[in-house]
Amino acid sequence: MLIINLIGLGLIVLIVWWFWLYQAQSTQVSDEQDNSEITVVVEDGIYQPAHISLLENKALQINFVRKDASPCAATVLFPELEISADLPLNKTFAVQLPLLKKGEYAFHCQMKMYSGTLVVK
Amino acid sequence: MNKPKDSTGHKNSQELIIEGASCASCVAKIETALKRIDGVDNAQMNFALRTVVVDGEVDSEDLVQAIESIGYNARSAEDTSDDELLDEKEIADQKYYTSLMRKMWIALGLGVPLMIYSIAGGPMTVETTLERGIWLFIGLLCAAIMYFAGKHFYVGAWKSFVNHSANMDTLIALGTGTAWIYSMVVVFFPMAVPEMARHVYFEATAMIIGLIDLGLALEVKARGRTSEAIKRLIGLQAKTARVVRDKKEVDIAIEQVLLNDIVRVRPGEKIPVDGLVIEGHTSIDESMLTGEPMPVAKEEEDEIVAGTLNKTGSILFKATRVGKDTALAQIINMVKRAQNSKPPIGRLADAISAYFVPVVMIISIVSALVWLNFGPDPALAFAIVSATTVLIIACPCALGLATPMSVMVGVGKAAEAGVLIRNGEALQTASKITAMILDKTGTITEGSPTVTDILVADKSYTEKYILTIASSIESRSEHPLAQAIVDSAIAQEIDPEDISDFQAIAGHGIEAKLEDHHLLFGNQKLMFKKGVFLGEFVSKAQKLADEAKTPMYLAIDNKLAAIIAVSDPIKEDSIEAIKRLQSSGIRVVMLTGDNRATANAVAKKVGIKEVFAEVLPEDKSNKVAELQAQNEIVGMTGDGINDAPALALANVGFAIGTGTDVAIESADITLMRGSLHGLADAIAVSKATLRNIKQNLFGAFIYNVAGVPFAAGILYPFFGLLLSPVIAGAAMAFSSLTVVSNANRLRFFKPKEH
C-alpha cells in the first residue's frame, strides 16, 4: 500500500512539474530581418510552435495554418494586442503583429484550450 | 503545407485588379511590365473590367509590386471575401458535424447494447475462461472503436502532453484510457485483481466516447447559430454592381468596382458600394444598418452606403469607398472584433483554465488513493471508477465557453439594432451605468434649429433688416444655432452685409462692426457685460425660454435692437426613450451650452430633472468628472465630434450617429440611429448579455465544483452514492452544449421598445 501511495504522490509531483514548472523552449524568430514570418500550425489541441520569441521592435507576421476542424481552433486571440482572427480551415491566414515592446504576450483560442506565448526580448 | 507561399502565393493563373488605368495605352504598359517578371508566361489585361490575368509560376506580391512601380495600383482579385470565408466555414462545420455524428453512431453501436446488458443485470465480471474469451473480443472491439471514434482525443491529448499543456482531450483520453486498460488487465490477468474487483468497464469507454462526440456535434451546430448576426451583415453585401465603363453599363463583380466608378442602381436593388448620388432621386431603406425603420430620401450630392436597399428611383452614383473601406465592411470588421474580445468578467475563467486540467488530474489521483487506503471492498474497483469519473465529468470547455459565446451573440444582437459595441469591456461597463449624461443639441433634440420669433425692440428697424444684420454676423460663426439664422436669411433671399472686426466671446456671443455701427449679438450675459439696457425685454426673453426656445439679443450701437428666438425641436421619441432609461434606474442628466431657462424648459418637456446648463464646450468633460466623483458610473451621449473629450472621459462614451458614419473613434458604443431608443437598447442588450454570461459562468462553476467531488465519491460515506462514469460522460458532453444553448437564448432578446 505504501508503494502505491508513493507512486500516487510521485505522479502528482510529476504533473506539477510537467505542466507548471517546466520552462518551455521557445522558437526564436530570426533577429536579423526587420520583417519576419513564422508559420504556426493549429492542430490536435496545440499551436506548433506554441512559444515564439522575438526581439523588441521587430515586425512579425504569423501565418496560421489551421488543420483542426473543431470550432475551438477557429479563432485566435491576442488579448493584450486587441487582435483576433477567424482562421479558415486548411488555409494559411496571416496575422500581422504591431511592433512590440519587451514582455510576454499570450495568444490563445476562445476557450484557452489552445494557447501559446510570444516572448519579446 | 508548412510553406504557406507555396500554397497561396504561387499559382498557375491569377487575376489582379488594377486601379488608375485610365487609357487604353496603359494596357500595353502593364502587360509588358508583368511579362518582364521571371516566371510569367503571359499577361492579358481586360481594359473594360480593369483586370489582368497572369499565367505562370510567380508570387502575386511580385506582380503587385511590378504594377505599382510603373505608377498604378493593383490588388489580387483572389483575396477571399467574407462571404466566401463564411461559406467555407459552413461547409467545414457541416463536414465536421457529419464525421462526429458517424463516430458517435460507431461508439454508441457498441456502448448502448453493452449498457443495456449491464443494466439488465448481465454479469460484467470475469470469472470463467469463456467469459475471458468473450470479454477479450469485446475489449478488442472497444479498442477499434476508440481508434475510429475517439482517435482525435488520444492524438490531441498526446500532442498537448508533449507540449507541456493539457486540455479537454487529455481528460477524456485519460478517463477512457484508464477504464479500458483496467478492463484489459482484468481480462488478461484476473488473478492480479481481487476477486470482487474483476469488473470490466468497456461499456463506459464506448459510451463516453459516443456521448462526447454527440455533444461536440451538437455544439458545432449551436455555435453556428451564434454567428447569425454577422452572417446577416455579410449577407447584406451585393455580389455584383452595374458600372458605367466606356459609356456602357456593365455588370461586374463587386470586388472589381473601383474608386470613382459611376454605378447605376435600380429600384429594389442593393447599394453595392458607398458613394455620392450624382443623378436621380430615390428613397433608401437603411434599417438593416441603422435600425431606423423609415426610408431616407436621397438626391444629388447625398451620401449612400453599401448594403442598404434602394426603394423607389433609379440613380447614378459615384463610388467613394469600395472594398474593405465601405461603412458596411467596417461595421462587419468592428462587430467581428468586438465579438472576439473578452469583457473583464471572463478573466477569472481564463485564469482558472490555465490550471484546470492538471488540478483535475491531481484530484483524480488523490481520489483513487483515498479509495485504496480507506475504501470498502472492492477498493480497487472503486478507485478506478472514481478516478475515471473525476476525469470525465470535469469540463473546462463549459467554463471557457461561458463568456465568449454570450459576447458573440450579445454584440451581434446589438448590431442588429444599429448599436455598435467596440469591445467586451464597453459591453460590461454599459451594463453597470448608473448615470447618463445626454447632450441636448442633436441628442435629445433634432440638432436642426430654426428661427421661430423675431421681436423688434427698436421700431426704426424692420424684421428683414434685423435678420440681415444677424445673418451677416452668424455667417462667420461656428455656433450650432448660427446656421438656423443663416438658413432663415437664405430662405428669405437676404444677402449678407460685409461686417468687420469680428470677435467671438466664448460663452457670450459675438462683437463686430458694420460700417460705423457697433454690433453685439449673443445672450443676456453679453448684454449685461456691455451695459445694454434690456428693460421689459428680459421678461419677454424669459417667456420665449420657457417655451424651450433660445432667445438671442441683438444690440446696435449698444442699444437693444431685437430678440431673435431659435428653437431646436425635440426628437419625437426622446421623451419615451428617456423614460426607458430612467425606469431602468439610471440617473439621467442633460448637458448643454444653452441658457438655463431654455435648458430647463427642454428638460421639463422630456422629463429630465437634472440639468447642466450654460456649459462651455471645454467644460463638458468636467461635468463627467463631477458625476464620477459622486461614485457614479457615467455614460455620456453626444454627437462624437464636439463631445469627443467628454465621451473619452466617461466610463462609456456613446456617439449618436447620423446614419452610418462609423468612423467615430472616440466612442465606446456607436448608435447608428439618431433615436435615443438606440441608447436604451444598447443598455438593455448589454444588461441581458452580462446576465447571460453570469448564468453561464455560475452554471459552469457550480457544475465543476459540485460534479468533481461527487464523482470522486464524497457522497458515498453518507448516502452510498457513487456516480457512474457513463452518467459523467453524458453530463460532460451536455454541459458545454448547455452553455452554448443558453447564449443562443440571447438571440431572442427584444428590447422593450414603445
Side-chain angles (χ1 to χ4, degrees):
Chain A
M1 207 51 228
L2 182 69
I3 297 170
I4 292 176
N5 284 334
L6 283 177
I7 293 175
L9 287 177
L11 275 175
I12 292 174
V13 171
L14 266 177
I15 289 172
V16 171
W17 173 74
W18 186 259
F19 291 108
W20 291 327
L21 302 181
Y22 182 86
Q23 287 288 322
Q25 289 282 311
S26 53
T27 308
Q28 174 77 42
V29 173
S30 156
D31 52 6
E32 277 154 30
Q33 286 170 316
D34 279 339
N35 282 302
S36 320
E37 279 185 35
I38 188 165
T39 298
V40 172
V41 180
V42 186
E43 194 181 17
D44 298 326
I46 53 165
Y47 293 120
Q48 195 136 31
H51 303 278
I52 301 165
S53 66
L54 69 156
L55 290 179
E56 200 180 14
N57 286 326
K58 298 272 181 194
L60 176 66
Q61 175 180 322
I62 304 184
N63 298 315
F64 284 97
V65 185
R66 170 186 162 212
K67 294 183 181 175
D68 182 350
S70 145
C72 304
T75 310
V76 61
L77 310 172
F78 293 77
E80 288 99 340
L81 310 176
E82 288 209 347
I83 292 176
S84 67
D86 291 326
L87 308 176
L89 188 60
N90 290 324
K91 269 194 173 174
T92 304
F93 190 92
V95 174
Q96 180 68 51
L97 301 178
L99 300 183
L100 297 174
K101 296 251 168 287
K102 270 180 202 163
E104 280 205 5
Y105 301 86
F107 59 100
H108 53 79
C109 70
Q110 282 181 327
M111 304 172 10
K112 273 203 150 175
M113 290 292 101
Y114 278 87
S115 74
T117 40
L118 281 172
V119 183
V120 183
K121 294 176 190 162
Chain B
M1 200 62 203
N2 283 348
K3 284 187 180 165
K5 284 211 163 160
D6 290 339
S7 60
T8 59
H10 296 100
K11 297 220 179 75
N12 288 329
S13 173
Q14 50 190 315
E15 193 177 7
L16 297 172
I17 297 165
I18 313 290
E19 287 181 4
S22 52
C23 57
S25 70
C26 307
V27 173
K29 218 164 127 189
I30 290 170
E31 284 179 356
T32 322
L34 288 173
K35 281 178 194 160
R36 258 191 229 132
I37 303 170
D38 277 344
V40 173
D41 300 329
N42 192 24
Q44 197 161 20
M45 180 154 174
N46 180 333
F47 183 63
L49 294 180
R50 308 287 197 278
T51 58
V52 56
V53 177
V54 182
D55 298 328
E57 292 279 321
V58 65
D59 196 301
S60 59
E61 278 170 34
D62 293 340
L63 300 177
V64 170
Q65 233 166 35
I67 294 168
E68 282 173 356
S69 72
I70 55 168
Y72 305 99
N73 287 323
R75 59 190 148 95
S76 174
E78 288 159 33
D79 283 348
T80 332
S81 69
D82 285 337
D83 212 9
E84 285 163 352
L85 277 181
L86 207 67
D87 288 346
E88 275 176 25
K89 187 176 176 286
E90 265 179 21
I91 293 167
D93 278 356
Q94 183 58 40
K95 257 169 109 178
Y96 186 57
Y97 171 80
T98 319
S99 92
L100 282 172
M101 288 302 273
R102 197 180 56 236
K103 287 173 179 167
M104 186 266 302
W105 287 121
I106 294 174
L108 293 190
L110 176 72
V112 170
L114 276 181
M115 241 335 246
I116 294 171
Y117 170 76
S118 102
I119 291 170
M124 301 292 281
T125 50
V126 181
E127 275 153 19
T128 63
T129 317
L130 177 68
E131 275 176 349
R132 276 182 73 184
I134 293 171
W135 283 121
L136 176 63
F137 173 72
I138 292 176
L140 292 176
L141 205 60
C142 188
I145 280 167
M146 286 159 82
Y147 179 79
F148 287 110
K151 189 179 150 201
H152 49 295
F153 300 129
Y154 303 103
V155 174
W158 175 248
K159 288 233 179 153
S160 32
F161 175 75
V162 173
N163 206 34
H164 296 271
S165 69
N167 55 29
M168 189 191 83
D169 291 342
T170 316
L171 294 177
I172 297 165
L174 277 178
T176 54
T178 311
W180 184 81
I181 291 171
Y182 176 78
S183 306
M184 286 310 265
V185 169
V186 170
V187 171
F188 277 109
F189 313 106
M191 294 310 154
V193 180
E195 204 179 329
M196 281 175 74
R198 283 175 204 161
H199 195 287
V200 290
Y201 298 101
F202 296 125
E203 96 285 8
T205 303
M207 282 298 290
I208 290 166
I209 291 177
L211 286 170
I212 293 175
D213 280 337
L214 174 64
L216 282 176
L218 297 177
E219 193 188 312
V220 170
K221 282 274 162 188
R223 275 193 183 212
R225 283 192 288 273
T226 61
S227 50
E228 227 170 44
I230 198 88
K231 264 183 233 164
R232 208 184 50 90
L233 278 175
I234 291 171
L236 291 178
Q237 284 168 327
K239 297 235 185 311
T240 60
R242 173 161 274 248
V243 173
V244 182
R245 293 262 168 99
D246 300 327
K247 292 180 186 160
K248 267 185 253 156
E249 288 182 6
V250 283
D251 283 319
I252 60 171
I254 189 90
E255 294 83 12
Q256 293 173 349
V257 178
L258 307 177
L259 216 56
N260 296 328
D261 261 340
I262 305 300
V263 185
R264 161 80 65 195
V265 185
R266 290 164 294 193
E269 288 178 343
K270 280 183 200 160
I271 308 295
V273 294
D274 292 359
L276 281 180
V277 179
I278 54 169
E279 198 186 296
H281 54 87
T282 183
S283 67
I284 288 184
D285 176 6
E286 295 184 341
S287 62
M288 56 292 280
L289 288 185
T290 63
E292 172 65 59
M294 291 296 289
V296 185
K298 300 278 180 182
E299 50 183 36
E300 280 170 33
E301 293 295 301
D302 279 345
E303 232 179 283
I304 53 175
V305 289
T308 56
L309 189 68
N310 182 23
K311 301 282 270 193
T312 49
S314 174
I315 49 167
L316 276 181
F317 76 93
K318 189 169 88 174
T320 53
R321 284 183 298 198
V322 299
K324 290 196 166 20
D325 299 326
T326 64
L328 177 60
Q330 287 180 41
I331 290 171
I332 291 171
N333 226 337
M334 190 168 154
V335 172
K336 265 193 190 168
R337 268 179 62 167
Q339 281 185 325
N340 283 333
S341 82
K342 220 172 253 184
I345 192 173
R347 282 190 201 137
L348 179 62
D350 272 0
I352 291 173
S353 69
Y355 301 97
F356 190 91
V357 175
V359 165
V360 169
M361 286 158 72
I362 291 172
I363 293 175
S364 153
I365 294 170
V366 170
S367 147
L369 288 181
V370 170
W371 278 104
L372 284 173
N373 284 295
F374 310 107
D377 273 337
L380 182 58
F382 279 126
I384 291 294
V385 169
S386 74
T388 308
T389 317
V390 165
L391 290 170
I392 295 298
I393 202 164
C395 187
C397 285
L399 212 50
L401 280 173
T403 313
M405 286 299 116
S406 308
V407 171
M408 189 93 178
V409 184
V411 168
K413 194 74 208 170
E416 277 180 13
V419 175
L420 298 182
I421 298 172
R422 187 164 295 279
N423 54 36
E425 199 168 338
L427 180 80
Q428 181 170 347
T429 319
S431 75
K432 295 193 292 195
I433 284 176
T434 57
M436 175 64 76
I437 301 180
L438 302 175
D439 190 46
K440 183 182 77 104
T441 309
T443 303
I444 296 175
T445 64
E446 297 277 4
S448 52
T450 50
V451 174
T452 53
D453 304 81
I454 299 179
L455 304 181
V456 183
D458 185 335
K459 297 293 176 204
S460 58
Y461 303 119
T462 61
E463 252 186 47
K464 193 173 174 186
Y465 182 72
I466 296 292
L467 199 54
T468 311
I469 306 287
S471 65
S472 307
I473 300 171
E474 290 292 64
S475 64
R476 294 185 46 185
S477 162
E478 284 162 5
H479 195 272
L481 296 181
Q483 196 57 42
I485 292 171
V486 174
D487 286 346
S488 171
I490 291 172
Q492 296 187 31
E493 296 181 347
I494 294 173
D495 292 327
E497 303 269 350
D498 257 348
I499 58 161
S500 60
D501 297 344
F502 181 92
Q503 202 191 343
I505 307 164
H508 290 79
I510 290 156
E511 196 171 1
K513 271 194 156 166
L514 173 68
E515 292 160 1
D516 300 339
H517 296 292
H518 175 250
L519 306 174
L520 286 171
F521 189 56
N523 56 22
Q524 213 172 49
K525 267 195 260 173
L526 178 71
M527 299 299 134
F528 287 156
K529 195 175 169 188
K530 298 286 178 183
V532 179
F533 177 69
L534 301 177
E536 53 167 344
F537 281 85
V538 172
S539 61
K540 285 188 178 172
Q542 182 65 43
K543 199 167 155 261
L544 289 169
D546 290 343
E547 291 164 15
K549 295 167 181 169
T550 307
M552 287 181 284
Y553 298 85
L554 175 68
I556 301 176
D557 295 328
N558 254 33
K559 251 187 82 196
L560 182 68
I563 292 178
I564 300 180
V566 168
S567 145
D568 186 4
I570 292 166
K571 288 177 191 165
E572 58 177 332
D573 50 9
S574 285
I575 299 174
E576 218 175 318
I578 287 168
K579 211 176 278 166
R580 273 178 74 196
L581 287 173
Q582 287 166 332
S583 66
S584 64
I586 293 174
R587 171 180 168 194
V588 181
V589 182
M590 189 175 93
L591 177 73
T592 179
D594 217 335
N595 73 72
R596 181 155 296 280
T598 312
N600 283 338
V602 172
K604 202 173 161 200
K605 268 194 181 174
V606 296
I608 295 179
K609 292 185 189 69
E610 278 180 85
V611 179
F612 291 133
E614 295 168 30
V615 180
L616 299 176
E618 58 270 29
D619 283 341
K620 283 185 178 174
S621 47
N622 293 340
K623 296 296 169 189
V624 172
E626 209 172 282
L627 285 188
Q628 281 170 334
Q630 297 168 21
N631 288 327
E632 301 276 13
I633 296 171
V634 181
M636 163 84 206
T637 310
D639 61 15
I641 303 155
N642 300 317
D643 318 316
L647 291 190
L649 183 69
N651 298 77
V652 185
F654 295 83
I656 196 152
T658 43
T660 43
D661 189 8
V662 285
I664 302 170
E665 285 296 330
S666 55
D668 299 308
I669 297 182
T670 303
L671 309 170
M672 285 190 286
R673 174 159 59 133
S675 161
L676 277 178
H677 275 301
L679 184 63
D681 289 350
I683 289 173
V685 169
S686 64
K687 280 193 172 166
T689 309
L690 258 289
R691 201 163 43 234
N692 196 272
I693 293 175
K694 283 179 193 160
Q695 289 162 355
N696 276 348
L697 283 175
F698 180 77
F701 270 113
I702 288 298
Y703 168 81
N704 280 300
V705 167
V708 170
F710 184 27
I714 207 160
L715 294 181
Y716 190 84
F718 311 107
F719 307 104
L721 279 176
L722 187 60
L723 200 61
S724 137
V726 177
I727 306 279
M732 141 79 176
F734 292 96
S735 63
S736 45
L737 183 66
T738 312
V739 165
V740 181
S741 306
N742 187 45
N744 267 325
R745 276 192 322 121
L746 267 180
R747 288 187 303 141
F748 307 110
F749 170 80
K750 268 209 168 67
K752 286 186 203 81
E753 201 176 311
H754 313 308

